[in-house]
């Protein structure tokens, strides 16, 4: 038995497939299946079943819908306990054997690690075969069709784009044309499909049709949206007009522009713009296959050459910039400015692999906005991630890397004139593209006037705020950071304190990470205490910190390494009303909803300020990091006397 979401909602039972009729139980089942293994709140389910018009007895009626579903399950030999009633809602435990959506995601996530491009293509094709029509076509819920269907469709299109990339890289241009014609017609504003179609036509000797496709999409974009085609399509048109080979071994390996060739490259492995600017979602250069009929698709794209593991990176060159010792954390190219330090990796940096890859891809892409915002709670590691990413991609920015802290050590923001004065002036930058890192921005109003022209530089911004106005007007991506995972927190402690010392007390190190809420700031402070007390055991340090974490996680030498200072500045930046709401969060009981602390508008403002997080789908709409909750409770009790740290190690 398997539930099928990737098409009309149905139940496959042996050779029989039963398509469910549109009904309230069907909408309820869809809402549960969309969140496999997750507790879906009663409030969410009521909205999914009745949209904006729930009856007064909605909760009782929801129980009736659950009962009807269980009766349906019994008819097809499905256990009635498949739907589990839990406090606050319901849950369905589905895996790849019982739900096609889980199987689809499993196949697509495992495909890149498969044994070669051929195996990756096979698994992705298998994943696409699970789709049998528009998702949730027989589900009446307007909410689910509005919120869930578009995201499901985007998942399918990303996989289809990757499949077409692999087919083209293998030289299967004729075979993939049918898929590309259909995809380009159904999704005319998704330019990547049009790029792939034009490439396939050109490489099969149909130059006139390829140019006709380009001009059709160009005219449509201008007439309907008032915009021109993206850089990838424009470069593709130019390559065809010049009769250049598209991609080729050299261009594919280095990410350079198409090189001259005597004809329209029809050899296997040629791809349009495999490097930055191609519109391909994966980042970095692609290894081209060897020419010939036995050529295989290229390996999955790797990171740009400067984004390897930190320990393997070369020493920064004289053209690369780093944080300078002058005010504002200003960095300029070292050329002509002797004595300035080179850009260095963040000491002991660990984790954030997915974020680092995505940020590197965005910053080094030549196609589209090269702007990234890293947001999140105070002390969550935004600045460290930004500087590590800048170090890892430094080879892609010959014009230099410039870092500017937009907040003073006391937490007050720089004025616009001060910030402009600290930015590089004419002649200070080297030749080529630059990277500008704007650290700890107070808000969009501080960032927008400082953004350079898109063709001049890529920009990486950190802020507790999401800076929606920045990405709304300039495009780009937002990375909202969460706390480190358990393995990442352990790796950070091991990298700072020493692998042997942490491994000797692995369980205590895990407990220390939990006491610190797995916040990088708190972990670095704890590591600093251990490093200055070589005889102090990890277990004793953990026990001492656990008695009063917010007060004791502080190093007197530097206010930036102090939880009370850093968190206090963040709370102090809130309006008096929001400060009161944050303090009330610390007084709530363990089972009280966060909505008891303030109105939805106030909680949304705390989310924007980085002091609260959106809840995951199916869960309460807001959540508070456990370490911030501990701080809020400590703050709500009022000022406490400064604790005394242990001065001598305690042996066990």
């Amino acid at each position: 038995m398997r539930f099928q979401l990737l098409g009309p909602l149905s139940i496959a039972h042996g050779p029989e497939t039963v398509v469910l009729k549109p009904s309230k139980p069907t909408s309820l089942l869809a809402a549960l299946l969309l969140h496999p293994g997750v507790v879906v709140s009663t409030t969410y389910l009521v909205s999914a079943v009745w949209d904006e018009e729930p009856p007064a007895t909605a909760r009782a009626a929801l129980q009736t819908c659950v009962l009807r579903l269980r009766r349906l399950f019994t008819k097809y030999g499905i256990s009635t306990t498949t739907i589990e009633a839990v406090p606050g809602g319901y849950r369905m435990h589905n895996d790849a054997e019982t739900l096609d959506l889980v199987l689809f995601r499993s196949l697509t996530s495992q495909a890149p690690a498969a044994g070669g491009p051929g195996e990756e293509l096979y698994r992705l094709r298998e994943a696409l075969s699970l789709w049998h029509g528009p998702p949730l076509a027989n589900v009446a819920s307007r909410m689910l069709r509005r919120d869930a269907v578009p995201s499901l469709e985007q998942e399918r299109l990303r996989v289809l784009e990757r499949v077409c990339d692999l087919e083209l890289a293998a030289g299967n241009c004729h075979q993939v044309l049918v898929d590309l014609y259909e995809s380009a017609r159904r999704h005319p504003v998704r330019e990547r499909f049009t790029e792939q179609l034009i490439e396939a036509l050109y490489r099969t000797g149909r130059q006139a049709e390829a140019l006709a496709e380009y001009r059709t999409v160009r005219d449509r974009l201008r007439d309907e949206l008032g915009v021109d085609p993206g850089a990838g399509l424009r470069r593709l048109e130019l390559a065809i007009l010049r009769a250049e080979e598209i991609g080729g071994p050299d261009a594919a390996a280095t990410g350079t522009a198409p090189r001259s060739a005597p004809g329209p490259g029809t050899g296997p492995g040629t791809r349009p713009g495999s490097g930055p600017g191609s519109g391909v979602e994966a980042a970095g250069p692609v290894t081209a296959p060897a020419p010939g009929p036995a050529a295989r698709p290229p390996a999955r794209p790797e990171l740009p050459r400067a984004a390897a593991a930190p320990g393997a990176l070369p020493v920064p060159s004289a053209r690369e910039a780093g944080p300078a010792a002058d005010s504002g954390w200003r960095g300029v190219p070292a050329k002509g400015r002797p004595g300035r330090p080179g850009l260095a990796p963040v000491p002991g940096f660990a984790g954030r692999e997915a974020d680092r890859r995505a940020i590197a891809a965005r910053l080094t892409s030549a196609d589209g906005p090269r702007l990234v915002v890293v947001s999140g709670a105070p002390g969550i590691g935004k600045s460290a991630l930004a500087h590590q990413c800048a170090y890892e991609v430094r080879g892609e920015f010959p014009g230099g890397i410039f870092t500017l802290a937009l907040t003073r050590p006391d937490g007050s923001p720089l004025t616009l004139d001060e910030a402009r004065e600290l930015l590089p002036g004419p002649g200070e930058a080297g030749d080529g593209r630059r990277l500008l890192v704007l650290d700890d921005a107070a808000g969009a109003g501080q960032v927008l006037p400082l953004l350079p022209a898109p063709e001049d530089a890529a920009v990486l911004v950190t802020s507790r705020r999401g800076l929606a106005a920045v990405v709304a007007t300039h495009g780009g991506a937002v990375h909202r950071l969460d706390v480190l995972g358990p393995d990442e927190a352990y790796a950070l402690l091991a990298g700072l304190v020493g692998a042997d010392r942490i491994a000797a007390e692995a369980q205590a190190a895990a407990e220390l990470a939990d006491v610190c809420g797995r916040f990088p700031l708190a972990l670095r402070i704890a590591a600093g205490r251990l490093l200055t007390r070589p005889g102090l055991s990890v277990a004793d340090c953990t026990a001492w910190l656990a008695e009063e974490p917010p007060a004791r996680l502080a190093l007197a030498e530097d206010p930036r390494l102090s939880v009370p200072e850093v968190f206090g500045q963040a709370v102090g930046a809130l309006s008096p009303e929001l400060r009161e709401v944050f303090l009330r969060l610390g007084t709530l009981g363990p089972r009280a909803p966060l909505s008891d602390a303030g109105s939805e508008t106030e909680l949304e403002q705390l989310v924007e300020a980085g002091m609260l997080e959106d809840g995951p789908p199916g869960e309460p709409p807001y959540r508070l990091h456990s370490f911030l909750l501990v701080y809020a409770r400590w703050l709500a009790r009022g000022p406490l006397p400064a604790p005394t740290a242990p001065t001598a190690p305690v042996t066990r």
Side-chain angles (χ1 to χ4, degrees), residues 34-230:
L34 284 166
H35 306 96
V38 175
V39 177
V40 186
S41 69
T42 301
T43 302
Y44 179 88
L45 293 174
V46 167
S47 298
V49 174
W50 285 280
D51 289 306
E52 295 83 14
E53 302 171 353
T57 59
R59 291 180 180 269
L62 189 66
Q63 294 176 351
T64 302
C65 289
V66 172
L67 181 61
R68 291 173 61 186
L69 279 179
R70 286 174 172 162
R71 289 173 179 168
L72 177 67
F73 291 173
T74 302
K75 179 179 178 182
Y76 293 103
I78 305 170
S79 172
T80 57
T81 60
T82 300
I83 300 181
E84 178 186 5
V86 295
Y90 294 87
R91 174 172 54 200
M92 287 186 69
H93 293 285
N94 294 104
D95 55 22
E97 297 293 326
T98 59
L99 179 60
D100 59 355
L101 178 61
V102 175
L103 178 59
F104 173 80
R105 289 172 173 167
S106 175
L107 289 169
T108 56
S109 64
Q110 295 172 7
E119 181 65 22
E120 179 185 2
L121 181 59
Y122 175 82
R123 293 192 183 186
L124 294 180
R125 284 286 190 192
E126 183 181 0
L128 289 176
S129 71
L130 297 173
W131 287 76
H132 50 284
L136 308 185
N138 56 332
V139 175
S141 171
R142 294 191 300 275
M143 186 192 85
L144 295 180
R145 295 179 66 82
R146 180 194 66 223
D147 297 341
V149 171
S151 62
L152 289 175
E153 185 65 16
Q154 287 302 311
E155 288 187 58
R156 185 184 73 85
L157 292 178
R158 282 194 294 270
V159 174
L160 182 56
E161 284 182 356
R162 179 61 181 160
V163 164
C164 293
D165 275 337
L166 290 170
E167 294 281 21
L168 290 173
N172 301 328
C173 300
H174 286 284
Q175 294 91 321
V176 82
L177 273 174
V178 174
D179 284 338
L180 288 174
Y181 268 122
E182 180 181 5
S183 300
R185 298 297 184 267
R186 288 190 176 184
H187 309 282
V189 297
R190 198 175 179 102
E191 293 185 24
R192 183 58 192 144
F193 284 131
T194 304
E195 288 181 32
Q196 292 169 327
L197 174 59
I198 292 172
E199 176 190 357
L201 289 170
Y202 180 58
R203 288 172 54 186
T204 53
R206 298 155 71 175
Q207 296 93 319
E209 291 180 61
L211 286 173
E213 286 293 332
Y214 171 82
R215 287 160 187 167
T216 298
V217 74
R218 179 197 61 191
D219 295 343
R220 182 186 297 114
L221 290 172
R222 287 177 177 176
D223 294 342
E224 297 179 4
L225 301 177
V227 297
D228 286 323

Side-chain angles (χ1 to χ4, degrees), residues 314-599:
V315 177
S317 70
R319 296 294 303 272
E320 293 155 356
D326 53 1
S327 61
W329 286 74
R330 178 186 181 186
V332 298
K335 181 180 180 181
R337 304 291 293 272
R340 290 204 180 269
L343 187 64
V346 177
F349 191 92
R352 310 285 194 202
E353 293 288 343
D355 287 303
R356 287 155 63 189
R357 287 178 176 271
I359 290 172
R362 169 67 68 171
L363 293 177
T364 58
S365 172
D367 189 11
R370 298 189 301 275
L371 186 148
V372 177
V373 173
V374 179
S375 68
I380 204 79
K382 303 179 293 294
S383 297
L385 175 62
H387 285 283
Q388 183 68 20
C389 287
Y391 173 72
E392 293 177 355
V393 301
R394 68 198 189 286
E396 303 295 326
F397 295 94
I401 295 177
F402 302 81
T403 64
L404 174 61
L406 295 177
T407 302
R408 301 182 183 89
D410 65 357
S412 60
L414 297 183
T415 66
L416 184 56
D417 288 340
E418 290 173 326
R420 282 175 169 159
E421 177 64 22
L422 292 168
L423 286 174
E428 289 190 278
D431 297 328
R433 193 168 50 165
R434 299 174 293 146
L435 173 61
L436 177 62
V437 181
L438 300 177
D439 195 21
D440 203 12
Q446 191 186 30
V447 172
L448 286 170
L450 303 177
L451 294 180
E455 64 273 15
D456 291 340
V459 183
L460 180 56
V461 187
T462 74
S463 177
R464 289 192 299 272
R465 300 185 172 274
L467 304 184
V470 174
V471 294
T473 56
H474 286 71
V478 178
H479 288 258
R480 182 82 174 190
L481 297 189
D482 206 336
V483 299
L484 296 176
D487 293 341
E488 293 175 320
Y490 182 94
L492 179 59
L493 287 172
L496 293 171
V497 180
D500 292 342
R501 187 175 177 187
I502 293 300
E505 296 183 80
Q507 182 59 40
E511 294 171 2
L512 176 59
D514 290 339
V515 167
C516 295
R518 303 203 299 273
F519 268 57
L521 171 67
L523 289 165
R524 286 184 177 274
I525 294 170
R529 188 165 299 282
L530 287 169
L531 286 170
T532 56
R533 294 163 174 80
L536 182 64
S537 72
V538 177
D540 286 328
C541 181
T542 302
W544 180 76
L545 290 174
E547 293 176 9
E548 203 67 62
R552 295 183 173 180
L553 280 165
L555 300 181
E557 299 84 359
D558 191 340
R560 293 171 298 181
L561 290 173
S562 165
V563 166
E565 284 286 338
V566 173
F567 284 17
Q569 288 177 5
V571 173
L574 301 173
S575 66
E577 296 79 7
L578 290 183
R579 283 199 294 271
E580 287 297 321
V581 174
F582 183 76
L583 288 176
R584 283 200 293 272
L585 289 172
T587 64
L588 296 177
R591 296 185 178 276
L594 298 184
S595 56
D596 287 356
S599 67

